[in-house]
Amino acid sequence: MAISISRLVIPVYLHFRIDSALEGHNAAPGSGYPAVVRSRLIVSLLLLLLVPGFISLRKGEEFHGHPIDTLRSTAVSSHVKWLKQASTSRSLEEAVKNYEARYGLAPPPGFGEWYNYATKRNSTIIDDFDSIHNDLLPFWTISPQEIRLRTWELTSNPWNGVFPLKVRAGKIDLGPNRLPTHRWMMEGVQALIQPFAEHLPDMDLALNLNDESRVAVEWEELQVMIQSSAKQFSRLAPTNNTWSLNRADQWRDPFEETTTTSEIFEDHSFTTSFDRYTARTCPPSSRARRDPVVDKNWNLTGDVCHQPDLANLHGFFLSPAAFKTTRKLVPVFSQSRAPGYNDILYPSAWNYMDKVKYEPSDAHPDPPYDEKKTCLFWRGGTTEGFSHDGAWKGMVRQRLVWLTNSTHRVHSNLLLSPTHDKQSLIVTDTSTIPPADLPATDISIVEDIVRCAGSDCDEQAGLFALVGRVDFQDHWQYKYLFDLDGAGYSGRFISFLQSRSVPFKTALFHEWYRSRLTPWLHFVPLDLRLHDVYSTLAYFAGLTTTTNKQGRRNRLHAAPHHQEGEYIATQGRHWANKVLRKEDMEIYMFRLLLELGRLTDDRREELGFIV
């Protein structure tokens, strides 16, 4: 039907029942839902049909175009605005002034070496490192001695799953007895730091070896820390540009293991995490705090505080496989984190060490965009969380496979572009369209069902048609590549950006480069609920069909937007090769460790870079 509605925010108000496998919005089938949300759970939410952004239609007004056209146009102007403020400095003196104006204090010692390192490597970004500032800001309320002690407490007990990296006199020591399964990660971080280690003060790092987030400080406590930290900056009086001479003696040996029970972390693996930790990182006025999740229902797409229904729609919230977490502010370095968590982000060794790599060849070429298959492609495992008591039915990966492969008529909104003879947008339901007419997808789980217990393993094995693994370089033959979280961040996304294909991305977890990328310009964002998959895919791939609803046949046609898809693929590829290089990872880590060096120096109030 055509839509022309008074002040309709194309987000549609949906009521849907989670306990019905075939009636739920993209919920996987079965005799029940996870225990935490089972039994006539009504989810009420204001969903964006296309996210992020709202498109408003006035009564009697016809919309000449598709909402994605508006979102793409807005993305270009947003990116230009961001880039203008991210890299205005043209000299060291300007960089120092911009730093002081931006963050309210002088840069740390070593900033001159960092600036030279960044400019020699043609860094596009010089000024905007807000993510580092925000990650470390609360730690200004903790004394240097206490930060060092907490680092040792994290790393000295192997049970914590947090392992040390020691920097002394420009040398990096990984220590003995590292877990063989994670040796690559430790060596990757060592390789990441080594090029600039000579400029670092002596320090220890506490690296999270798990995929899952570890630090969730309650909102009220964090706000007090942030406000107190900001006030401290006005009292700083930088007079010294050199580190303390006795720093090595101030750090307790991180390789000195203890056998005491950890008092920092609690182990809640295989249990729901949202109410216990995530909700407490939200403001008291948020829905996550006001309303019990069990009774309820980019940018907003990952804002769990105001969308608590997401507690039932991701493996990290439903049943994380490894979840040792604390509400105490401790300096844990993680490769990604969920919204609200306080882990310190750093560039992933997985990407730096090319564990997956964009590497087309004659055998596996990356053809021009118009020669690729018009198909949305994904392969992966059931690694998002550990499934028991039906928890898999809410996990994003399994819901995506069910949505795109089910022989049942899965209900999902479909928004189609206007045509030359119909100027209004067309809204229909995928259940009215023959499956063969829907845009092509090739989405499957590979090899075996993993991370499950009891009947959950058999249910998934019986429902999903498992396929063999493919060479990673086979991805490039498809126009659209779906990127999903696993237990943590996705290690594929940078490679997808580097290709000539368009990345479709849905994600809960944040990484170090999040602010550098602009949705709808560098990639296509999708909601964690997956209600927008077919509308978005139909915009790019097009659709022609005849619907049959209650005996009424209606021919629908939506022209493809191949040029727009190629534009996003090209912009993402170009930008990734400018700001997500290995050199950019080094530049980010260098600056992060200088900031940590100041935080852990006993004379930090008098330290500051002086031109």
Side-chain angles (χ1 to χ4, degrees):
M1 67 175 184
I3 61 175
S4 179
I5 310 172
S6 175
R7 299 303 294 170
L8 170 67
V9 264
I10 277 175
V12 181
Y13 191 75
L14 298 174
H15 271 286
F16 59 92
R17 297 167 60 109
I18 296 291
D19 64 334
S20 174
L22 299 179
E23 296 296 322
H25 262 67
N26 308 336
S31 57
Y33 211 71
V36 67
V37 290
R38 193 181 310 143
S39 131
R40 302 198 170 210
L41 174 60
I42 303 297
V43 179
S44 301
L45 52 133
L46 192 61
L47 292 179
L48 294 175
L49 193 58
L50 290 160
V51 290
F54 293 93
I55 303 297
S56 178
L57 300 180
R58 297 181 182 275
K59 187 174 182 179
E61 177 182 57
E62 292 190 336
F63 194 80
H64 297 270
H66 195 285
I68 290 179
D69 294 328
T70 301
L71 296 171
R72 289 180 50 251
S73 176
T74 302
V76 173
S77 59
S78 297
H79 177 67
V80 170
K81 182 178 179 181
W82 180 87
L83 183 57
K84 184 178 180 180
Q85 60 81 41
S87 193
T88 61
S89 298
R90 294 295 179 265
S91 67
L92 175 59
E93 290 75 16
E94 287 186 17
V96 170
K97 289 180 181 178
N98 281 323
Y99 184 106
E100 293 172 343
R102 195 177 195 108
Y103 303 122
L105 72 167
F111 188 79
E113 286 79 7
W114 173 85
Y115 180 84
N116 291 334
Y117 191 93
T119 54
K120 286 181 180 179
R121 286 156 182 78
N122 299 313
S123 178
T124 300
I125 311 303
I126 294 295
D127 299 311
D128 190 335
F129 288 84
D130 291 2
S131 56
I132 293 176
H133 177 76
N134 294 333
D135 284 358
L136 298 183
L137 182 61
F139 286 95
W140 280 90
T141 63
I142 305 173
S143 69
Q145 298 91 331
E146 181 64 20
I147 296 174
R148 297 195 299 264
L149 176 60
R150 294 185 187 187
T151 301
W152 178 82
E153 290 175 340
L154 288 167
T155 59
S156 60
N157 189 340
W159 181 87
N160 289 333
V162 177
F163 289 90
L165 183 147
K166 182 164 71 173
V167 180
R168 296 292 185 273
K171 305 295 183 182
I172 301 171
D173 188 356
L174 301 180
N177 304 322
R178 299 302 99 203
L179 289 176
T181 54
H182 290 78
R183 187 78 193 186
W184 67 266
M185 176 181 162
M186 304 299 293
E187 291 175 348
V189 178
Q190 180 182 38
L192 172 63
I193 297 174
Q194 194 61 65
F196 53 84
E198 63 180 302
H199 303 298
L200 297 178
D202 295 340
M203 66 174 69
D204 297 335
L205 306 183
L207 300 172
N208 174 23
L209 294 189
N210 294 339
D211 292 326
E212 292 83 355
S213 309
R214 307 297 298 275
V215 184
V217 180
E218 294 190 6
W219 187 87
E220 290 87 345
E221 181 180 353
L222 185 65
Q223 298 313 302
V224 171
M225 290 180 173
I226 291 173
Q227 293 169 15
S228 177
S229 296
K231 291 178 181 178
Q232 286 189 39
F233 293 165
S234 63
R235 299 194 296 268
L236 300 181
T239 59
N240 203 317
N241 193 25
T242 58
W243 307 106
S244 296
L245 296 178
N246 60 339
R247 285 184 60 101
D249 298 333
Q250 297 171 351
W251 295 86
R252 189 168 174 178
D253 185 2
F255 305 134
E256 175 190 342
E257 295 185 356
T258 65
T259 57
T260 59
T261 302
S262 172
E263 297 180 356
I264 298 177
F265 295 112
E266 297 177 350
D267 191 349
H268 293 289
S269 302
F270 311 152
T271 63
T272 56
S273 67
F274 191 88
D275 285 339
R276 185 179 288 112
Y277 285 103
T278 306
R280 297 190 185 189
T281 70
C282 296
S285 61
S286 66
R287 290 184 58 209
R289 290 281 292 274
R290 294 198 322 264
D291 308 321
V293 173
V294 73
D295 294 332
K296 281 290 171 247
N297 330 321
W298 210 255
N299 311 341
L300 291 179
T301 60
D303 187 346
V304 297
C305 293
H306 297 285
Q307 301 178 96
D309 64 291
L310 295 178
N312 304 314
L313 298 174
H314 197 286
F316 175 71
F317 296 138
L318 288 165
S319 183
F323 193 60
K324 294 178 180 179
T325 311
T326 181
R327 297 188 187 95
K328 182 179 182 179
L329 184 64
V330 291
V332 174
F333 283 70
S334 293
Q335 299 170 97
S336 68
R337 65 165 180 252
Y341 282 72
N342 309 102
D343 305 47
I344 301 168
L345 293 179
Y346 75 96
S348 170
W350 180 274
N351 295 126
Y352 190 79
M353 297 294 284
D354 293 324
K355 298 294 284 186
V356 293
K357 187 178 181 180
Y358 172 67
E359 199 170 29
S361 63
D362 291 341
H364 301 282
D366 186 1
Y369 186 83
D370 59 1
E371 297 178 13
K372 294 174 182 282
K373 297 178 182 178
T374 305
C375 179
L376 179 62
F377 184 79
W378 180 81
R379 289 290 186 273
T382 54
T383 57
E384 188 178 314
F386 188 93
S387 181
H388 58 90
D389 299 319
W392 62 271
K393 297 171 188 174
M395 296 181 186
V396 185
R397 291 182 169 210
Q398 285 91 325
R399 289 190 290 114
L400 176 65
V401 175
W402 168 252
L403 171 68
T404 55
N405 288 278
S406 175
T407 56
H408 297 277
R409 292 298 183 91
V410 178
H411 292 272
S412 181
N413 290 319
L414 188 61
L415 180 67
L416 302 179
S417 301
T419 59
H420 66 280
D421 57 333
K422 294 181 179 180
Q423 295 301 311
S424 297
L425 291 166
I426 305 299
V427 177
T428 186
D429 190 296
T430 56
S431 64
T432 67
I433 296 176
D437 290 347
L438 290 171
T441 62
D442 188 349
I443 293 173
S444 295
I445 294 169
V446 298
E447 292 188 341
D448 299 307
I449 302 297
V450 298
R451 296 193 178 183
C452 57
S455 61
D456 283 36
C457 303
D458 295 334
E459 287 178 1
Q460 293 180 79
L463 181 67
F464 300 125
L466 306 179
V467 300
R469 292 185 177 274
V470 299
D471 191 301
F472 183 68
Q473 306 305 320
D474 283 346
H475 281 82
W476 322 134
Q477 61 185 296
Y478 303 96
K479 282 181 179 171
Y480 318 116
L481 303 178
F482 213 125
D483 188 66
L484 295 165
D485 291 334
Y489 70 100
S490 166
R492 306 174 182 179
F493 187 50
I494 291 180
S495 294
F496 287 176
L497 285 168
Q498 292 170 337
S499 76
R500 293 187 174 92
S501 301
V502 179
F504 281 45
K505 185 173 182 63
T506 182
L508 173 71
F509 294 98
H510 298 178
E511 296 171 70
W512 68 275
Y513 54 74
R514 179 180 175 86
S515 66
R516 300 186 176 203
L517 299 179
T518 303
W520 297 112
L521 176 63
H522 302 131
F523 66 97
V524 173
L526 294 174
D527 192 274
L528 283 168
R529 301 177 187 87
L530 304 178
H531 62 271
D532 51 354
V533 169
Y534 276 116
S535 286
T536 305
L537 186 56
Y539 171 86
F540 289 103
L543 181 145
T544 299
T545 189
T546 300
T547 63
N548 189 345
K549 189 173 184 179
Q550 298 177 343
R552 296 178 60 185
R553 297 177 64 81
N554 184 27
R555 186 177 184 276
L556 298 178
H557 172 73
H561 291 77
H562 293 311
Q563 288 185 341
E564 290 81 353
E566 184 174 10
Y567 180 80
I568 293 176
T570 301
Q571 291 299 311
R573 175 185 175 92
H574 169 75
W575 189 239
N577 289 331
K578 290 191 69 174
V579 301
L580 300 181
R581 307 165 301 158
K582 288 187 179 184
E583 294 90 338
D584 297 302
M585 300 178 196
E586 295 167 7
I587 291 164
Y588 188 95
M589 192 68 166
F590 190 173
R591 182 147 166 173
L592 171 61
L593 295 187
L594 289 180
E595 299 285 3
L596 181 70
R598 172 165 55 182
L599 270 173
T600 55
D601 197 296
D602 287 338
R603 297 186 299 114
R604 70 186 185 188
E605 275 125 15
E606 64 186 69
L607 291 183
F609 180 76
I610 303 171
V611 180

